[in-house]
């Protein structure tokens, strides 16, 4: 990838001369889609990012949200999609490292991770190879740095075959007095690089992430993939804490996309300053590195700190204590962003022009046509078995059992439920955390599917008794220059924005990853959300107790568009109808109230696979269910914003629901069977059979 002629003309006009080779490479990367959001930024104003709880919204390394006046959390998300195709282990591992350093740069200590993973058809050997490598990379890195992976999602769709997605989110914790930003504070302060030495790995990673994957990407693009070292990252985490303890940091930025050039130029530009940087001062691990290699290397485990002159010596002492390299590479300055190398000026550009000067794209968008209803004839037993055993609805225990999800001693509810729960005694609350998307939904109907993704994540929190607090998004799409692809991408942006606004959940930050095209074609538009909420009351599990009856709470969508059933048996349908505005907000509040009521014994959200899969996941060896629905649409409808509730007091349930619909499904039994009646058909699966059906990932991968 090279700097396009139109962009080069803008640079020449601004500088009044041809750019140097280092400048040209710097502009190519910082003006890439990955860094500058050239195609997506015109759409992102749709998001509402305001709220009394929002301390820092979009634009910094991570968002900051208050739990109370003294306790803040950070929330960030990023993608490592292209690298994870080329090198699944290192690509995924360095995605974890990057989002953790984004957390550090805000002054926070990382306390939890979420991974949302998307692969091609599970039946394809290459998809299973990528899944195995990605999970191993996330596990090895996250486990080694001592940050638990507590939630996430794993999905399969044929359109990811040539371009998987790896989206990683992180929550951090800090007291209000430790908050740091990526905004330079004062000219004359020093820029200190702390962490690993700089090598040639990850060169051009930002521009690599901004182009379609070629057929030979697994071999040709390997130099663009970074190589991580979690043990150095762990030292960096602890060193960062020591620097904050002694109040030695004025501002900070993680070295991620575009490496030192990206981090240092953006940091000073945000403060309205320039910089003078000596590239020879950067500690290097390879000989004969050129100026642009030093500037644009994306070698991992590195941070850029702004430090007052009198504190530089102490910063370097602490770096030495943690066996980390450090170097004073320059100063915050008035004027331009200037870099020298071997005594020559190789970069001399206006910092705001470099950081914010990329022109936005004005692209055509074509909206997809809605599907018509064409439902197939099905056999109930065959359909139920197929949906419960679908890799998208099947157990993901094979994935999360490889992660250390209890390190740090905060995990109150582990993976496998609707949302994770973390103890936050500093604020006398629990933090609920959920993440994911459903590519079948957004492939079928980008706008409504994205509304459903937001609704489903909020439902996950409410089902554990939590009130949604804030969310970040990772917006993944194909080549935006294709009108149908851009139309789908616009649909997911607008859908998320509308539902989050209806639920009063501010979108406080995020990431955009476009050009996820390969020889297999574009990916489905994929709007991953990572959402947090606070839970102060009862938090029921999803397993049945056998003490109550079963009820469905929420509005039915009465359609199967985007459903697992149609994905298995064929046919088409419109996407389910979702409640709007105040009705949507009332549903979430009702679910939260029901979940925390004393008469509630179990709650589980209805989403992927519909009521059929919800019930299959609630049944235990000792407690079964006997339920009845009118037709198979009701059984397999995946409309979110609904929960199955086991309650011992129907009157209390009705009172709590108010105007939100409640449907009686049936009773719990001591049989350990899932018994379902649809019209005049009856089918029953026992718990061992259900477990065997749902164990498809482990059966194929172990």
């Amino acid at each position: 990838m090279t700097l396009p002629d139109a962009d080069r003309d803008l640079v020449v006009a601004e500088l009044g001369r041809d750019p140097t080779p280092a400048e040209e490479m710097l502009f190519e990367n910082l003006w890439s889609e990955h860094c500058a959001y050239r195609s997506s930024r015109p759409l992102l104003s749709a998001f509402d990012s305001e709220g009394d709880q929002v301390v820092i919204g979009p634009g910094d390394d991570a968002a900051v949200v208050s739990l109370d006046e003294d306790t803040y959390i950070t929330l960030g998300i990023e993608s490592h999609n292209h690298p994870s195709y080329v090198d699944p282990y290192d690509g995924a591992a360095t995605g974890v490292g990057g989002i953790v350093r984004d957390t550090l740069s805000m002054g926070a200590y990382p306390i939890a991770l979420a991974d949302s993973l998307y692969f091609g058809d599970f039946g394809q050997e290459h998809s299973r190879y990528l899944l195995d490598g990605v999970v191993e990379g996330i596990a090895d890195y996250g486990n080694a740095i001592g940050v638990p992976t507590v939630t996430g999602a794993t999905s399969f769709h044929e359109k990811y075959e040539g371009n998987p997605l790896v989206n990683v989110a992180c929550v951090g914790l800090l007291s209000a007095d430790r908050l740091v930003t990526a905004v330079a504070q004062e000219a004359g302060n020093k820029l200190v690089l702390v962490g690993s030495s700089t090598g040639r790995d990850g060169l051009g990673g930002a521009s690599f992430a901004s182009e379609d994957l070629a057929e030979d990407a697994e071999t040709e693009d390997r130099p663009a993939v970074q190589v991580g070292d979690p043990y150095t990252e762990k030292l960096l985490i602890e060193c960062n804490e020591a620097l904050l303890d002694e109040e030695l940091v004025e501002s900070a930025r993680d070295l991620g996309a575009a490496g030192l050039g990206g981090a240092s130029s953006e940091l000073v530009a945000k403060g309205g300053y320039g910089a003078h940087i000596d590239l020879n001062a950067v500690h290097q691990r390879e000989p004969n590195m050129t100026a642009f290699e030093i500037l644009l290397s994306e070698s991992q485990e590195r941070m850029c700190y702004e430090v007052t002159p009198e504190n530089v010596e102490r910063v370097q002492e602490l770096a030495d204590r943690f066996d980390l390299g450090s170097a004073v590479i320059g100063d915050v300055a008035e004027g331009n962003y200037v870099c020298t190398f071997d005594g020559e000026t190789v970069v001399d550009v206006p910092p705001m022009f470099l950081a914010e000067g990329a022109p936005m794209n004005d692209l055509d968008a074509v909206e997809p046509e809605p599907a018509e209803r064409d439902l197939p004839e099905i056999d109930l037993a065959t359909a139920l078995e197929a949906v419960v055993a679908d890799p998208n609805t099947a157990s993901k225990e094979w994935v999360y059992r490889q992660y250390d999800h209890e390190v740090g001693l905060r995990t109150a509810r582990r993976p496998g439920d609707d949302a994770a729960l973390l103890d936050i005694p500093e604020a006398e609350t629990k933090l609920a955390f959920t993440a994911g998307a459903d590519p079948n939904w957004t492939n079928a109907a980008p706008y409504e599917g994205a509304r459903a993704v937001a609704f489903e994540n909020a439902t996950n929190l409410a089902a554990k008794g939590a009130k949604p607090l804030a969310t970040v998004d990772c917006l993944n799409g194909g080549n935006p220059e294709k009108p149908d692809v851009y139309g789908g991408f616009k649909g997911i942006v607008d859908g998320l924005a509308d539902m989050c606004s209806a639920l009063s959940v501010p979108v406080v930050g995020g990431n955009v990853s476009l050009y996820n095209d390969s020889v297999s074609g574009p990916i489905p538009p994929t709007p991953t959300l990572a959402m947090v909420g606070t839970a102060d009351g009862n938090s029921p599990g999803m397993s049945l107790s056998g003490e109550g009856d079963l009820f469905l709470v929420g509005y039915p969508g009465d359609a199967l568009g985007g459903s697992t059933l149609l994905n298995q048996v064929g046919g088409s349908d419109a996407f389910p109808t979702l409640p709007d505005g105040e009705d949507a907000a009332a549903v979430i509040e009702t679910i939260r109230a029901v979940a925390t009521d004393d008469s509630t014994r179990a709650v589980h959200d209805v989403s992927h696979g519909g009521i059929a899969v919800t019930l299959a996941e609630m049944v235990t060896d000792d407690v079964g269910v006997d339920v009845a629905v009118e037709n198979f649409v009701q059984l397999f409808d995946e409309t979110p914003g609904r929960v199955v509730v086991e309650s011992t007091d129907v009157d209390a349930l009705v009172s709590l629901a108010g105007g939100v619909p409640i449907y009686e499904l049936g009773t719990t039994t001591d049989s350990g069977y899932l018994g379902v009646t649809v019209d005049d058909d009856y089918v029953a699966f026992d718990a061992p059979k259900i477990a065997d059906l749902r164990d498809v990932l482990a059966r194929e991968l172990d």
Side-chain angles (χ1 to χ4, degrees), residues 295-639:
L295 266 175
L296 294 172
S297 165
E298 295 181 9
S299 294
Q300 296 291 284
E301 291 87 39
R302 300 180 299 160
M303 297 283 290
C304 181
Y305 294 108
E306 178 191 5
V307 180
T308 60
E310 61 270 21
N311 286 332
V312 167
E313 182 177 355
R314 180 57 179 160
V315 168
Q316 294 198 279
E317 287 176 356
L318 288 172
D320 288 343
R321 177 194 295 179
F322 288 95
D323 294 326
L324 296 170
S326 67
V328 181
I329 61 171
D331 309 91
V332 178
E334 303 289 351
N336 276 0
Y337 177 75
V338 178
C339 300
T340 60
F341 182 69
D342 289 347
E344 295 184 4
T345 298
V346 293
V347 175
D348 186 355
V349 299
M352 282 300 295
F353 181 66
L354 179 60
E356 301 289 342
M360 297 298 102
N361 294 331
D362 182 12
L363 300 172
D364 294 330
V366 175
E367 296 183 5
E369 293 292 328
E372 299 288 335
R373 171 164 282 192
D374 181 16
L375 300 181
E377 294 290 329
I378 67 167
D379 173 73
L380 178 59
T382 302
L384 185 60
E385 183 168 330
V387 168
V388 172
D390 187 289
N392 282 306
T393 62
S395 171
K396 303 306 186 298
E397 185 177 0
W398 181 88
V399 176
Y400 62 73
R401 78 184 184 197
Q402 300 185 51
Y403 305 146
D404 187 339
H405 43 257
E406 294 186 327
V407 63
L409 304 179
R410 291 185 179 274
T411 308
R413 190 173 298 282
R414 299 181 294 178
D417 210 317
D418 294 328
L421 286 175
L422 304 167
D423 286 319
I424 311 291
E426 295 87 345
E428 298 182 351
T429 190
K430 284 184 171 65
L431 190 74
F433 188 20
T434 181
D438 189 319
N440 281 327
W441 294 354
T442 46
N443 187 62
Y447 174 79
E448 290 295 340
R451 290 183 70 235
V453 167
F455 206 25
E456 197 253 344
N457 275 277
T459 303
N460 286 340
L461 300 180
K464 300 303 110 179
K467 180 179 181 179
L469 184 68
T471 191
V472 292
D473 56 38
C474 192
L475 305 172
N476 306 271
N479 186 333
E481 298 162 45
K482 300 175 181 177
D484 58 332
V485 171
Y486 195 60
F489 184 79
K490 183 178 184 300
I492 64 170
V493 172
D494 291 343
L496 286 185
D498 287 353
M499 183 57 78
C500 288
S501 178
L503 300 178
S504 299
V505 179
V507 181
V508 293
N511 173 261
V512 176
S513 175
L514 295 176
Y515 291 95
N516 290 293
D517 278 50
S518 68
V519 292
S520 301
I523 64 162
T526 310
T528 299
L529 281 189
M531 191 179 290
V532 293
T534 51
D536 301 319
N538 179 46
S539 178
M542 57 186 261
S543 297
L544 297 170
S545 72
E547 300 173 16
D549 294 321
L550 295 176
F551 301 89
L552 177 66
V553 179
Y555 293 93
D558 296 324
L560 293 174
S563 68
T564 307
L565 177 70
L566 295 191
N567 188 54
Q568 281 284 345
V569 303
S572 64
D573 200 1
F575 196 79
T577 301
L578 305 179
D580 292 314
E582 293 181 359
D583 287 342
V587 167
I588 298 303
E589 179 53 31
T590 294
I591 292 171
R592 191 193 66 79
V594 167
T596 57
D597 189 72
D598 290 341
S599 65
T600 297
R601 294 293 180 266
V603 178
H604 189 19
D605 87 307
V606 178
S607 55
H608 323 301
I611 296 171
V613 170
T614 300
L615 294 171
E617 292 175 337
M618 298 179 79
V619 166
T620 71
D621 288 336
D622 300 317
V623 183
V625 299
D626 188 3
V627 302
V629 296
E630 293 181 3
N631 53 61
F632 73 85
V633 173
Q634 291 181 5
L635 185 63
F636 297 109
D637 173 7
E638 298 188 1
T639 306

Side-chain angles (χ1 to χ4, degrees), residues 209-242:
S210 304
E211 56 187 357
D212 295 344
L213 280 172
E215 190 169 8
D216 58 358
E218 289 178 282
T219 54
E220 293 301 312
D221 291 317
R222 192 165 293 270
V225 179
Q226 309 92 332
V227 178
D229 178 0
Y231 302 103
T232 298
E233 182 98 346
K234 178 61 175 173
L235 294 173
L236 192 58
I237 292 170
E238 301 308 325
C239 181
N240 193 69
E241 283 291 289

Side-chain angles (χ1 to χ4, degrees), residues 118-129:
Y118 308 86
F119 301 96
D121 182 353
F122 183 72
Q124 297 295 317
E125 182 178 355
H126 190 248
S127 298
R128 298 195 297 272
Y129 155 76

Side-chain angles (χ1 to χ4, degrees), residues 167-202:
N167 297 172
V168 184
C170 184
V171 171
L173 183 67
L174 70 157
S175 56
D177 59 355
R178 291 168 79 88
L179 178 63
V180 175
T181 70
V183 179
Q185 299 296 304
E186 187 175 346
N189 285 343
K190 300 295 182 180
L191 296 174
V192 182
L193 195 60
V194 174
S196 290
S197 55
T198 298
R200 291 186 171 94
D201 56 315

